[in-house]
Amino acid sequence: MGIFKKLDLKVNFKLSWKGIFFKKINEIYPKSKKRTILQKLIYTKNKFLTMIISIIIPTYNEEDYLPNLLDSIKRQNFDGYEVIVADANSTDRTREIAESYGCIVVDGGLPAVGRNNGARVAKGEYLLFLDSDLELTDDYLRNVLYEFRMEHLGIAITKMKPMSDKIEDKIFHDFANYFMIGVEKIKPHGAGCYGIITKKSLHDECGGFDESLTFGEDTDYIERLAEKERFRVLRNARIGVSTRRLEEEGIVTLIRQYGKSTVNDFLGKRTDAADLNYNFGHGHEKLTTERMEGIAKRTEQLNQVKKNYDKSVDIVKTAQDNLKKSHNRDRKVVFYCVCGEGMGHSIRTGVIVDRLKEKYDIYIFTHGNAYNYLSSKFDNVFKIGGFNTVYINNKVDNVKTLVSALKRNPQNMRSSYDELYKKAKELSPDVIVTDFEIYSTYVSKLLNIPLISLDNMHIITQADISYPQNQRLEMLKAKAVIKTYVVKPKIHIITSFFYPKVRGNHHAVIYPPIIREDILKLEPTEEDHIIVYQTSKESVKLVKRLKALKDEKFIVYGFNKEEVDGNLTYKLFNEDVFYDDLASAKAVVCNGGFTFISEAITLKKPIYSVPAKGNFEQVLNGYYVQRLGYGEYHEVMSVNRLAKFLKKLPKYQEKLSQVKKYNNDGIIKELIYRIEKYSK
C-alpha cells in the first residue's frame, strides 16, 4: 500500500478509483513511471475485488471514439470488471486516453492479435470483446451477464442499437439482429465484434481468435467456440453501435462486404480483407453524386417500408395489449402439477412453492400422498388422478402395475379433466410446471400453455449417465416411460446430487438437490443409532433382518406405526422428530429414493442403499452413491454386508465431508427466470 500512502488518499475501491488517482499520479510521477505505477494500482485493486468480467478493446487511432465507450462503461451500475485496451501503435492520443481512464494497456495489432493479447492478461471469469466505437446501454453489463448465466451459455453476442436517428440505419441494424437470431441454431454468426462474451476458460481451450485471418475472425471465433458450448444471441441487452461505416462507405458497400463474407461463411469459406477492400482503421471511400442520388432514392423506399412495418407492429401490439387486459390480473398464474408417488416430488414442490407463492398465484394439482402433504401446507391444492408402481417383495411388478394403471385410467382421465383441464380453461395459466406429472403435458399441448419440467427423473433421458451394465434393459424401459410422461417442455430443470454431462442439443440444466430449509439449518452430530427409511410396505421382511445385528440400534420410518421390536424402533413420521433423528444418526439404510439420499448427503451421513428391483431410477441413485464414495449400493439386503459397511463408516464420512453444502437459491432463480421468459 506504499503507493497509496505517497498519494495521501483514502481509497474506496467500490467507487471509480481510476479518476481519483490519475491527477495525483500526473503531479507526482514522471511520464516514464506512469505505466508501472498504474499496473501496481490495478494489481492492488484486483486483490480487493472479485474480477468477474474483463472487457477487451482493440484500438488504432481511436481518440475520437474511445472516450465515449469508456464513459459508458463507467456509468454501469456494476463492479468487478477490468478494461484492457490492446492498442496497435496508435499515432494519436488513444493510449494516453486509455491510461487516463485506468485501463490496462497492452500491445495490439490486427483485431485478432489485440483481442488475444488482451485475453492473456485478463483476470476475469468472463471475457467481453468490444470495438472502440461502441457505447454500452444502461445496465448493459448486468443484463448481459444475467442472461448469459441463466441460459448456461459458453459464447454469445448482443443485439445492436444504432447510435443514429436515421430510419435506414435502424432498419439495417434490425435486419442484422433478426438475421443473427434466425440463424443462431443453424450457423452461429457475428457480424462485427458487437459485444462478444465468453468464458475465459473456453477462450483458452479453443486457442482464442485465429490471427491468420484478416476478416471474419469474429465469426470464425464464434463458430469454433459454439462447437464446444451453447451459443445464443442475447435478447435482453443491446449495445450502441456507431454508424460511421455506413456514413463513410455507404449502405450498399457495407451490404456487399458483409453479404459476401456471410455467404462464404455458410459455404465454409474464409474471406480475406483484401477481397472486400476492408481496412482496420476505417478507410474512407468517396461518394459520387450518382451514388448519393441512388442512396436518397433507396432511403425513400426504406421510409415506406418502415411505415408499413411500424403499422404492423402497432396492430400486433394492440392485440397483445387487449389480450393482457382480458386477463385482468396483476400477477402471473402458475399451475404446478406433481407426481403423487412417494414423498420426494411433494417435498421438493413444497420447498419451491413456499418460495414462489409471494410472487405468483400458484395452483397445485396432484394425487396420493402428495395431495395430503401439500394440501396441509398450501391453499389451491386440487386432487387429480395418477398412477402408482406396484411392489412385491421390494421388486416392481410390471404386470400388476400395468393392470392397475388400465383399471384406474378412465377415472384418472375424468378427475384430471374436471380439475386440471377445466381450471386451465377458466384461469388461463401463464405457464405449467410439471414435476413428473403425466396429465400436465396433455393440457399444455391442448391449450398451448408453455410447459416447464422440473424433476430428478429426466437425468436419465437428458444426460450421459453411467449405470451398471446388467441394468441396461431396465434403463431402456425407464427411458421409454419417462418420455411419455413429459413431452417436449420448453426446458428440463433437473435436480441431482451427481452431475453427468447434458447431451448435445438437449435443452436441460442440472442443479444440486432441493433440500428442505429445516434440513439445511441442521448441524449434524453422530450418535449410536442408524436411520432406516423405507416407503414400501413390502420392505417389512428386509427390515426384520436387521434384528440380527443386536449391537446396533435402528430407528425405522415408513411403516406408519409406533412400536419397539428388539433393536428396531418404529416411528410415525413427524418432521421435527425425523429431522433430529436424521441429523444425529451415524448412518442410514434406505432404498434408492432420491430425496432421502440427497438429504442424507447434505447431512454427511453414510448411505447403505438397497434399491427396489425394477426401479431403474432408484438403482441409478444407489449406483452413484457408491461411485462417489458416499456409501454402498447392493441389490439385496445382506446383514453381513451391512455389518462390514458399518465398519467402514470413517472412509465414507471422509468423502462426504468434502461435499459442498448448497442452498436452493440457484434453482429457484432458474425457475423464476424461465417462468418470466416463457410466459411473455
Side-chain angles (χ1 to χ4, degrees), residues 115 125 250 356 503 654:
R115 291 171 192 142
E125 180 182 356
L356 297 186
R503 287 181 178 152
E654 171 62 25

Side-chain angles (χ1 to χ4, degrees), residues 287-561:
L287 294 177
T288 65
T289 303
E290 291 78 9
R291 287 192 64 193
M292 289 293 287
E293 289 175 352
I295 290 173
K297 184 177 180 181
R298 280 187 291 274
T299 299
E300 289 179 10
Q301 295 170 342
L302 288 172
N303 283 337
Q304 187 59 47
V305 171
K306 183 68 164 59
K307 287 177 183 177
N308 294 336
Y309 171 77
D310 289 341
K311 186 177 180 181
S312 300
V313 169
D314 288 340
I315 292 171
V316 172
K317 191 174 185 304
T318 301
Q320 289 174 336
D321 290 342
N322 290 336
L323 183 61
K324 288 179 181 177
K325 288 176 184 176
S326 68
H327 287 170
N328 195 27
R329 61 193 183 207
D330 297 325
R331 287 152 53 103
K332 288 183 170 66
V333 172
V334 176
F335 276 21
Y336 210 117
C337 303
V338 187
C339 175
E341 185 167 7
M343 289 297 294
H345 303 278
S346 57
I347 288 171
R348 176 164 57 229
T349 299
V351 175
I352 293 173
V353 172
D354 201 49
R355 294 281 295 270
L356 297 186
K357 65 185 180 183
E358 300 303 321
K359 187 175 180 66
Y360 304 113
D361 290 335
I362 299 181
Y363 296 80
I364 302 172
F365 300 85
T366 187
H367 63 96
N369 292 332
Y371 175 78
N372 299 329
Y373 178 80
L374 292 169
S375 61
S376 70
K377 291 178 173 292
F378 305 106
D379 297 327
N380 296 322
V381 180
F382 301 90
K383 194 169 189 177
I384 59 175
F387 303 106
N388 288 296
T389 305
V390 178
Y391 293 92
I392 302 294
N393 295 324
N394 202 41
K395 181 179 180 180
V396 176
D397 190 314
N398 291 314
V399 174
K400 290 189 176 182
T401 299
L402 178 61
V403 170
S404 174
L406 292 173
K407 283 182 179 179
R408 299 177 62 179
N409 192 51
Q411 181 184 346
N412 288 342
M413 291 288 287
R414 186 162 51 251
S415 63
S416 299
Y417 172 80
D418 288 341
E419 292 293 356
L420 182 54
Y421 182 80
K422 285 185 177 179
K423 271 284 187 291
K425 290 280 285 184
E426 174 192 346
L427 297 173
S428 298
D430 295 279
V431 70
I432 297 175
V433 180
T434 178
D435 189 326
F436 203 59
E437 195 287 314
I438 191 168
Y439 294 110
S440 53
T441 287
Y442 303 147
V443 174
S444 166
K445 303 310 176 191
L446 286 170
L447 300 180
N448 196 29
I449 302 168
L451 182 68
I452 298 171
S453 170
L454 192 158
D455 60 35
N456 64 292
M457 305 290 292
H458 278 87
I459 197 91
I460 296 171
T461 63
Q462 302 298 309
D464 290 324
I465 56 171
S466 298
Y467 55 89
Q469 287 307 299
N470 66 346
Q471 296 290 322
R472 178 167 175 76
L473 180 59
E474 296 299 331
M475 182 273 294
L476 293 173
K477 284 163 39 178
K479 268 190 178 182
V481 171
I482 291 169
K483 287 180 178 180
T484 63
Y485 263 65
V486 182
V487 181
K488 293 185 177 179
K490 293 290 187 181
I491 189 170
H492 287 287
I493 303 174
I494 300 169
T495 176
S496 178
F497 64 87
F498 52 95
Y499 306 98
K501 186 178 180 181
V502 173
R503 287 181 178 152
N505 300 322
H506 284 228
H507 203 193
V509 293
I510 302 176
Y511 279 90
I514 295 171
I515 304 297
R516 285 176 277 192
E517 296 296 332
D518 290 329
I519 296 284
L520 291 173
K521 293 174 185 175
L522 292 174
E523 289 296 330
T525 58
E526 185 180 336
E527 297 181 9
D528 62 350
H529 65 271
I530 300 160
I531 289 287
V532 180
Y533 188 82
Q534 295 287 332
T535 56
S536 169
K537 293 180 181 178
E538 296 298 328
S539 301
V540 174
K541 294 179 182 178
L542 299 180
V543 172
K544 285 190 175 293
R545 293 179 191 172
L546 301 176
K547 294 176 69 175
L549 296 174
K550 297 179 180 179
D551 294 333
E552 301 292 348
K553 291 170 56 178
F554 297 95
I555 299 177
V556 184
Y557 282 93
F559 293 98
N560 199 30
K561 64 180 180 179

Side-chain angles (χ1 to χ4, degrees), residues 236-255:
N236 297 324
R238 286 181 179 248
I239 195 161
V241 177
S242 168
T243 58
R244 63 175 173 175
R245 280 203 178 277
L246 283 172
E247 293 162 2
E248 291 173 358
E249 303 181 14
I251 192 169
V252 175
T253 300
L254 211 58
I255 288 174

Side-chain angles (χ1 to χ4, degrees), residues 459-460 464-472 475 496-500 590-594 597 601 607-612 615-635 652:
I459 197 91
I460 296 171
D464 290 324
I465 56 171
S466 298
Y467 55 89
Q469 287 307 299
N470 66 346
Q471 296 290 322
R472 178 167 175 76
M475 182 273 294
S496 178
F497 64 87
F498 52 95
Y499 306 98
C590 60
N591 48 32
F594 174 78
I597 284 178
I601 292 171
I607 300 159
Y608 187 91
S609 173
V610 185
N615 187 322
F616 179 76
E617 184 250 337
Q618 288 196 12
V619 170
L620 185 68
N621 294 331
Y623 172 78
Y624 270 98
V625 163
Q626 181 163 300
R627 182 181 174 124
L628 295 170
Y630 302 157
E632 296 180 12
Y633 141 71
H634 296 284
E635 294 184 1
Y652 303 127

